Amino acid sequence: MEKDISLLNAIKTGIQEKKGKKIITADLKGIEAASTDYFVICEGNSSTQVDAIADNIYDYVLKNLGIKPFAFDGYQNAQWIVLDYGNIWVHIFQPEIREFYNLEKLWNDAKLSEIPDVE
């Protein structure tokens, strides 16, 4: 649990350092069909920003916690990049792609927490 909190905080900082917006954490632990414990969902305004947020999360978590993701995908077009840290998956979207897939609604029985944007 302590490790999860440290990783969640490092991911949040990695997002905020690159001005990622509309950060949501979804606690999926009580959902039997979920394949992970947490989603972290955020957005960037362009493929360049989505790519930069993903890279910064990777670098920040590795530097501060020594943890690499098990897998990642989406760098080809950077409309939606996912970083898989095992029990925490990070989804970085462009706004229109996030709206289309609407993970928050898909997992609406999860406990959702908003993290304020940093200006």
Side-chain angles (χ1 to χ4, degrees):
M1 185 65 164
E2 181 78 26
K3 180 181 168 194
D4 288 349
I5 300 303
S6 296
L7 182 54
L8 284 168
N9 285 333
I11 290 166
K12 177 190 75 167
T13 301
I15 294 167
Q16 290 175 328
E17 283 185 349
K18 293 299 178 183
K19 306 291 190 236
K21 300 287 184 199
K22 299 183 180 176
I23 305 167
I24 299 284
T25 59
D27 183 340
L28 306 169
K29 289 188 301 254
I31 301 172
E32 190 174 320
S35 53
T36 190
D37 291 340
Y38 295 95
F39 278 175
V40 178
I41 305 164
C42 70
E43 62 187 55
N45 292 323
S46 65
S47 59
T48 303
Q49 187 181 20
V50 167
D51 188 68
I53 292 167
D55 285 347
N56 200 59
I57 293 165
Y58 182 101
D59 292 343
Y60 188 89
V61 170
L62 182 61
K63 178 182 173 190
N64 290 281
L65 299 177
I67 300 171
K68 289 183 182 179
F70 293 106
F72 49 84
D73 196 17
Y75 277 95
Q76 301 85 345
N77 60 22
Q79 293 181 334
W80 174 7
I81 295 177
V82 62
L83 302 171
D84 173 1
Y85 284 97
N87 58 336
I88 300 173
W89 292 2
V90 185
H91 300 272
I92 309 120
F93 289 97
Q94 288 186 30
E96 61 277 3
I97 304 300
R98 181 180 187 173
E99 186 176 327
F100 179 80
Y101 286 100
N102 201 354
L103 293 183
E104 294 94 323
K105 184 174 183 185
L106 181 66
W107 294 98
N108 66 357
D109 45 350
K111 180 182 175 201
L112 301 178
S113 303
E114 292 183 39
I115 298 170
D117 291 345
V118 173
E119 296 304 322

